[in-house]
């Protein structure tokens, strides 16, 4: 049987193969949005077996296993690592055409040199043994350096001390930059009164102040924003179900916050006014420091109450939301643009119908000064798969400038996920190789190859202002 993961994986034409091998394959990686725990990089953690590095914290795999009738004991429960791996292996044959089938076999090939057999129930023991022979030589840092990673940006809360980032930066033996990303979502979550007030107490302590009124909150966030900037942060992020741009007055927001801080429940309408004000304030902060703002829009989170109560968030019970937000997003951008405070922005949509809407929205607010100032982000979460990436590339190509695209991110908690950059680059080269073959773009490898290089690496190396 032909090897599944081979040199021509995904590359369906001679043109695609040449583009990938000559222009994309050996480029470094800038992973400007991920969820890696910085402490695990600081201490260069190792794992005892593949189940620990593969299944620990991976809600994609847990969802698949549950869908295959695997009890929770083998997902997040107390079953042995070997038994958990076996149950995932039993699920693999049912994952044909699911992106995990590609991801998992790419990871086995690239990090464990296993490309001669497929993972399944009958091969699980052999793969367990072969990966166990290599696992002792693998660590968090070796996976990063071995993947040709130059820089990653983790996702961090304003209250975080960033101690691990400092520790990594001071370690001269490690040449991969690990920078924080500012994600202040919890400071906007006014509808959950208890969690909101508990969080504000922690924020006040981190900022060395008190938070009693709305201005106190903004000042505390400014304080932490300054600290993050001093620690090398140049990117912010928000996770939104939709964009908030309701009308509000300062007096209204002051009153809403004061009552929430006193323990009163606010209405949905009041919450939207508060969130609209906060979203605006946070964007202005980013613009003042020349940061890039990321908006991840469209997730419907924690749908399964029973499992949320048992396991908490980010355990595989989220889905695509169907809120519409074109008008509110336009209003949000227009407000910022009117006061000359619209930062560089990357928009990620979770609903596939929103690709074209966002691609056209971006064109309304490009400033004619900063190339690609507003960006349509790569396929995210449920769209982080072959068709999702292709659709994002098509929408951006037809309605914007593909060559200005800042490219792929892992958006992952796994140190094995850098193969997603390879996967993306192969898909991009396959699309453009097909276009060359069909005469839809010029048969000019230098011209098309320059686009490949820009999207795969060059753009992200200059767009954010990193010191590489």
């Amino acid at each position: 049987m032909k090897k599944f993961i081979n040199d021509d994986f995904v590359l369906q034409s001679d043109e695609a193969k040449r583009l990938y091998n000559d222009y994309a394959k050996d480029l470094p990686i800038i992973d400007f949005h991920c969820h890696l725990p910085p402490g695990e990089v600081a201490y260069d953690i190792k794992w005892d077996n593949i189940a620990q590095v593969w299944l620990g914290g991976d809600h994609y795999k847990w969802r698949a296993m549950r869908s295959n009738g695997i009890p929770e004991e083998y997902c997040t429960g107390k079953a042995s690592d070997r038994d958990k791996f076996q149950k995932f292996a039993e699920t693999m044959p049912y994952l044909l055409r699911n992106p995990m089938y590609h991801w998992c076999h790419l990871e086995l090939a690239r990090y464990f040199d296993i490309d001669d057999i497929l993972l399944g129930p009958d091969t699980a023991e052999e793969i367990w043994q072969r990966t166990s022979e290599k696992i002792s030589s693998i660590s968090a840092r070796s996976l990063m350096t071995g993947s040709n990673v130059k820089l990653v940006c983790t996702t961090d809360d304003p209250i975080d001390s960033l101690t691990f980032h400092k520790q990594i930066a001071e370690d001269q033996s490690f040449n991969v930059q690990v920078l924080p990303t500012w994600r202040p979502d919890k400071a906007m979550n006014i509808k959950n009164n208890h969690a909101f007030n508990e969080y504000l107490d922690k924020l006040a302590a981190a900022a060395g102040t008190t938070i009693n009124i709305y201005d106190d909150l903004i000042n505390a966030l400014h304080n932490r924003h300054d600290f993050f900037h001093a620690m090398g942060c140049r990117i912010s992020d928000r996770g939104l179900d939709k964009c908030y741009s309701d009308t509000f007055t300062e007096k209204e927001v002051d009153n809403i916050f004061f009552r929430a801080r006193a323990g009163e429940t606010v209405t949905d309408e009041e919450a939207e006014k508060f969130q609209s004000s906060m979203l605006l304030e946070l964007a202005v902060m980013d613009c003042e420091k020349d940061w890039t703002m990321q908006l991840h829009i469209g997730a419907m989170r924690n749908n399964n109450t029973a499992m949320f109560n048992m396991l908490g968030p980010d355990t595989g019970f989220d889905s695509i939301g169907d809120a519409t937000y074109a008008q509110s997003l336009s209003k949000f951008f227009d407000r910022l643009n009117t006061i000359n405070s619209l930062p560089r922005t990357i928009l990620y949509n979770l609903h596939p119908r929103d690709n074209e809407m966002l691609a056209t929205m971006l064109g309304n607010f490009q400033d004619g000064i900063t190339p690609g100032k507003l960006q349509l982000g790569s396929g995210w979460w449920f769209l982080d798969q072959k068709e999702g990436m292709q659709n994002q590339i098509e929408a951006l190509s037809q309605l914007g400038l593909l060559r200005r695209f800042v490219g792929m991110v892992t958006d992952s908690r796994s140190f094995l996920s850098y193969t997603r950059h390879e996967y993306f680059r192969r898909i991009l080269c396959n699309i453009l190789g097909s276009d060359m073959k069909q005469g839809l773009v010029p048969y000019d490898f230098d011209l098309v190859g320059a686009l490949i290089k820009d999207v795969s690496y060059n753009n992200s190396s200059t767009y954010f202002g990193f010191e590489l």
Side-chain angles (χ1 to χ4, degrees), residues 167-224:
Q167 183 177 330
I168 296 165
E170 292 174 349
D171 187 346
Q172 298 300 311
S173 68
F174 185 54
N175 61 4
V176 178
Q177 289 191 62
V178 180
L179 300 179
T181 295
W182 162 272
R183 181 143 174 176
D185 291 7
K186 292 180 181 178
M188 294 179 60
N189 188 24
I190 197 170
K191 287 192 281 190
N192 186 336
N193 188 276
H194 175 75
F196 180 67
N197 279 305
E198 191 175 68
Y199 175 77
L200 292 190
D201 291 340
K202 294 177 182 178
L203 176 63
T209 187
T210 58
I211 299 177
N212 297 314
I213 60 175
Y214 184 65
D215 281 349
D216 293 341
L217 170 59
I218 300 303
N219 289 335
L221 288 169
H222 265 292
N223 176 289
R224 301 305 295 169

Side-chain angles (χ1 to χ4, degrees), residues 28-40:
I29 289 173
I30 293 176
D31 197 36
F32 58 86
H33 177 69
C34 74
H35 296 275
L36 294 180
E40 295 185 359

Side-chain angles (χ1 to χ4, degrees), residues 129-157:
Q129 293 298 331
R130 290 171 66 177
T131 56
S132 295
E133 292 170 4
K134 292 186 70 71
I135 199 76
S136 62
S137 64
I138 289 174
S139 69
R141 292 188 178 190
S142 73
L143 289 170
M144 298 172 80
T145 56
S147 300
N148 199 16
V149 176
K150 289 183 71 90
L151 183 148
V152 300
C153 296
T154 59
T155 304
D156 309 278
D157 192 280

